[in-house]
Amino acid sequence: MKISRYIVLLFMLLAFGACQPSQEARNKVLKVYNWADYIDEDVLAEFPEWYKEQTGEEIEVIYQTFDINEIMLTKIERGHEDFDVVCPSDYIIERMMRKDMLLPIDRDFGDTPDYIPNVSPYMMDLMSGIEADGRKGSDYSVPYMWGTAGIMYNTNLVTEEEAMTWKTLWDPKNRNKILMKDAYRDCYGTAIIYANADAIMRGELSAKDLMNDHSEKGISTVEKALKDLKPNIAGWEADFGKEMMTKGTVSLNFTWSGDAVWAIEEAAAVGVDLNYVVPIEGSNVWFDGWVIPKYARNPKAARYFINYLCRPDIAIRNMDAIGYVSAVATDEVLEARIDTTVEIISDLSYFFGPQADSIQIDPIQYPDRSVIDRCAFIHDCTNKRDLEKILEMWSRVKGDNLNTGIVLLIFAVFGALFVWMIIAKVRKFRYEMKHKKRRRKK
């Protein structure tokens, strides 16, 4: 027995010794998990040098990308992937907090300035609106990029007045001319607002009330509205919509403001005039933020990375590279984004402070206060059964997404195959009968 105990102890010591260099090596690695095309590559490449200047420590960045929130979440929740810093969307941050999957972000950076206060108070208020067991989202995440959902339209085919209401998506004249985001939450919010548009305009309801309505009635209302919309849908898209709009393939695209900025610039280069608006009935404000998962093995480098991204110069470079709008709201960022060629005067005091109540700036990237006032944040559906019902509804809406022509074509193809099989069997039968008669004659 004593010998076996010594053997066990020896194996434990060996295992401990083997783990030490592994952990030591892991402390020199930062694993970043982010959306594709969502950071300036040079900014990423320069982080190790900055980190060494601040801490005296070497770091290697391993950078991976994802394109679906739920895939990222599954890897961390079930696979216990040891990503150090991740950039989920708002509702996934909310879900990760409820499941106790995040570490609080330590703001003690030693001699390095804390750049996180550079984030707009408006964005931090949105983040604070996410709570779980008394814990506030602002302690567990830092907003990165943000924007609105709205309608991008070809100005030669659709007027601004038409685009300013969600009703235009359901207009029969736009049959097969619309691209919709393949995102059930955004589509849910849009459909329920459309279905209650008149009540909203009378001041009886608001976008905030509706977009977080997961009742049986709400789900049923959305399903009917989305099915009514389907004849107008040319396709459900995750990322290709902006390219199709630049080619003039379709005239309307329910999309996010960041994608719209990219598409408008690209389309202008080829002579296609696009614009983007947030309909008068209201829409959703969204954001993506950086978090540190509980399975992170280098939380120190992770929080320094988040801090680094909140530097004004870094925020500006990232915006220039990807087209989305940073949550950072310093005077340097405001000065860099002011555009005196813009004729519209916007009130951005909610974002930058009182000094920004009347400025010339891109109204798509930075919506006027009046636009923000009619928008709301969509919370994650906390009731598992309600979420299942919503996903079942979404599956029904998407599952029968075949127009009459395609259905008839499928039936025609299968019908032709069936007829061909019958003819082939008849020919085979006749051939065999003919040969039987010949054998009998012999």
Side-chain angles (χ1 to χ4, degrees), residues 183-204:
Y184 75 89
R185 297 175 72 255
D186 301 86
C187 290
Y188 187 101
T190 299
I192 202 166
I193 288 174
Y194 157 76
N196 292 276
D198 293 338
I200 291 174
M201 299 312 294
R202 291 194 299 267
E204 299 170 2

Side-chain angles (χ1 to χ4, degrees), residues 71-112:
I71 290 178
M72 174 276 298
L73 182 62
T74 299
K75 282 190 174 183
I76 295 173
E77 182 180 14
R78 299 180 184 176
H80 294 185
E81 290 271 2
D82 63 334
F83 296 111
D84 299 307
V85 62
V86 183
C87 188
S89 296
D90 42 35
Y91 73 104
I92 292 294
I93 295 173
E94 192 168 19
R95 195 176 301 178
M96 293 175 89
M97 283 193 63
R98 286 202 318 271
K99 294 184 176 185
D100 194 25
M101 294 174 60
L102 302 178
L103 297 176
I105 298 173
D106 183 355
R107 299 272 293 276
D108 181 6
F109 298 105
D111 294 332
T112 303

Side-chain angles (χ1 to χ4, degrees), residues 287-339:
F287 63 87
D288 299 322
W290 292 102
V291 298
I292 303 175
K294 67 186 297 183
Y295 302 110
R297 294 176 63 187
N298 197 344
K300 177 182 177 179
R303 61 191 180 87
Y304 269 83
F305 182 76
I306 294 171
N307 193 37
Y308 168 73
L309 294 178
C310 291
R311 280 173 39 183
D313 58 321
I314 297 298
I316 292 168
R317 289 171 62 187
N318 278 331
M319 281 193 285
D320 289 340
I322 69 175
Y324 279 83
V325 179
S326 172
V328 172
T330 63
D331 290 341
E332 298 96 320
V333 174
L334 176 59
E335 183 179 351
R337 303 333 272 181
I338 287 177
D339 184 353

Side-chain angles (χ1 to χ4, degrees), residues 75-310:
K75 282 190 174 183
I76 295 173
E77 182 180 14
R78 299 180 184 176
H80 294 185
E81 290 271 2
D82 63 334
F83 296 111
D84 299 307
V85 62
V86 183
C87 188
S89 296
D90 42 35
Y91 73 104
I92 292 294
I93 295 173
E94 192 168 19
R95 195 176 301 178
M96 293 175 89
M97 283 193 63
R98 286 202 318 271
K99 294 184 176 185
D100 194 25
M101 294 174 60
L102 302 178
L103 297 176
I105 298 173
D106 183 355
R107 299 272 293 276
D108 181 6
F109 298 105
D111 294 332
T112 303
D114 180 358
Y115 297 109
I116 294 177
N118 289 335
V119 172
S120 170
Y122 168 72
M123 299 306 304
M124 294 308 287
D125 285 346
L126 285 179
M127 193 72 253
S128 295
I130 295 177
E131 294 186 7
D133 299 325
R135 295 171 288 121
K136 288 192 173 184
S138 52
D139 294 326
Y140 290 80
S141 177
V142 174
Y144 178 52
M145 298 287 166
W146 73 288
T148 57
I151 295 177
M152 180 165 56
Y153 62 99
N154 187 317
T155 60
N156 294 318
L157 303 173
V158 179
T159 68
E160 183 176 0
E161 183 180 4
E162 290 172 323
M164 279 300 296
T165 173
W166 290 116
K167 292 180 180 180
T168 197
L169 296 184
W170 276 262
D171 192 324
K173 76 176 185 180
N174 291 317
R175 186 181 182 88
N176 206 38
K177 295 180 180 178
I178 296 169
L179 290 175
M180 290 292 290
K181 277 293 180 194
D182 191 359
Y184 75 89
R185 297 175 72 255
D186 301 86
C187 290
Y188 187 101
T190 299
I192 202 166
I193 288 174
Y194 157 76
N196 292 276
D198 293 338
I200 291 174
M201 299 312 294
R202 291 194 299 267
E204 299 170 2
L205 292 170
S206 69
K208 183 178 181 180
D209 298 327
L210 293 164
M211 289 191 296
N212 293 294
D213 175 8
H214 304 136
S215 65
E216 291 275 4
K217 181 181 178 182
I219 297 171
S220 176
T221 298
V222 169
E223 181 168 2
K224 182 181 184 307
L226 289 177
K227 286 185 174 179
D228 288 345
L229 176 63
K230 289 180 67 174
N232 291 1
I233 299 176
W236 302 90
E237 58 93 7
D239 195 45
F240 63 80
K242 52 190 178 185
E243 295 180 2
M244 291 186 70
M245 287 294 291
T246 62
K247 297 175 182 177
T249 307
V250 289
S251 56
L252 291 153
N253 185 195
F254 167 58
T255 191
W256 300 309
S257 51
D259 282 357
V261 170
W262 183 93
I264 289 169
E265 292 177 356
E266 292 294 311
V270 294
V272 177
D273 189 17
L274 303 178
N275 197 11
Y276 170 91
V277 293
V278 175
I280 193 68
E281 298 92 350
S283 186
N284 65 298
V285 172
W286 57 265
F287 63 87
D288 299 322
W290 292 102
V291 298
I292 303 175
K294 67 186 297 183
Y295 302 110
R297 294 176 63 187
N298 197 344
K300 177 182 177 179
R303 61 191 180 87
Y304 269 83
F305 182 76
I306 294 171
N307 193 37
Y308 168 73
L309 294 178
C310 291

